[in-house]
Amino acid sequence: MPSCPSGHPSTANDVCDVCGLRLRTFDPRPPQHLPPAPLRSPAAPAPPRPGAPRGGPCPECGTSRTGRFCEECGYDFASHQRRDPGAGPAAPGWRVTVTADPAYYQYMVNQGVLDPDLLPFPSRVLPRRVALSGDRVHIGRRSASRGFVPEIDLGGPGGDPAISHIHAILVARPDGTWALVDPGSTNGTTVNGTADPVAPGVEFPLRDGDRVYAGAWTVIILQKG
């Protein structure tokens, strides 16, 4: 039976009768009208090689490992670091603006990824500004069962239903900039209108003004200063 990308227990066979998402593979291509940005091919760590250690419980919450970051609490298996939302800023002066993009939403509708009758665009969304601090900033939805609240929470009432618990992670780099890591989200993540989603588990360097697209309508704009 087809399943909802967001995990809802839908009884329908075409679209989720809870959130309206199509019960099929997500097409992560960005809105066609957005100005294309030059594709960058940054030097980045290669994806985990076949046979690399997987499985094994997270030492923080016990969840089975499926990638670099625990999908429930954000533990970093590579650096063996705990999530520390109270850590001081690692890359000062950076922030993000989080809002809903109607053009991106319309693209998703046009692609048949979601049904606007079951999942209408939010009527009133106020942009949020979040200062980036610490060495990692998690983007996702809170998990009540694990007591996990991401620094950028896109869930809750009126939240984006196409966002995974840990959809993406902003990682502070030694040079004072930030990179994006998608640990393997269900619906993928794109940057600046590029054709391909960010490769899972690979750090994608970000620059001032970059736009990160995720879920059904969310855009996260990186800003410095």
Side-chain angles (χ1 to χ4, degrees):
M1 177 180 292
S3 61
C4 172
S6 295
H8 295 132
S10 175
T11 59
N13 292 319
D14 51 354
V15 297
C16 176
D17 50 22
V18 176
C19 69
L21 289 177
R22 294 284 179 185
L23 305 183
R24 65 180 182 82
T25 303
F26 171 70
D27 180 354
R29 292 175 297 178
Q32 295 178 350
H33 80 282
L34 291 176
L39 289 175
R40 301 201 297 270
S41 300
R49 67 185 185 281
R54 286 187 177 274
C58 170
E60 290 294 295
C61 68
T63 301
S64 296
R65 176 182 178 180
T66 58
R68 173 178 170 179
F69 297 95
C70 174
E71 63 182 15
E72 285 292 343
C73 73
Y75 180 83
D76 188 340
F77 288 98
S79 64
H80 306 288
Q81 291 181 341
R82 295 174 172 82
R83 171 178 173 267
D84 185 5
W94 291 88
R95 66 181 184 277
V96 294
T97 298
V98 184
T99 189
D101 186 338
Y104 178 62
Y105 169 81
Q106 188 59 51
Y107 167 81
M108 300 286 279
V109 172
N110 293 343
Q111 292 296 307
V113 177
L114 55 86
D115 186 334
D117 293 328
L118 294 177
L119 184 62
F121 187 76
S123 59
R124 185 170 181 267
V125 176
L126 296 177
R128 286 186 289 149
R129 290 179 174 82
V130 180
L132 302 185
S133 64
D135 56 357
R136 294 181 305 282
V137 175
H138 300 77
I139 302 168
R141 293 185 295 113
R142 67 182 60 201
S143 172
S145 62
R146 300 293 184 182
F148 170 70
V149 180
E151 289 81 5
I152 301 177
D153 188 358
L154 300 175
D160 192 327
I163 296 292
S164 301
H165 278 298
I166 296 184
H167 194 99
I169 302 171
L170 297 174
V171 180
R173 310 185 81 196
D175 62 359
T177 62
W178 290 84
L180 175 75
V181 177
D182 185 324
S185 65
T186 301
N187 294 330
T189 310
T190 58
V191 178
N192 290 338
T194 54
D196 299 317
V198 173
V202 176
E203 290 191 10
F204 186 94
L206 297 175
R207 298 180 295 190
D208 184 19
D210 279 351
R211 304 169 69 90
V212 176
Y213 292 93
W217 52 63
T218 299
V219 60
I220 301 171
I221 307 168
L222 185 70
Q223 298 167 306
K224 183 178 182 179

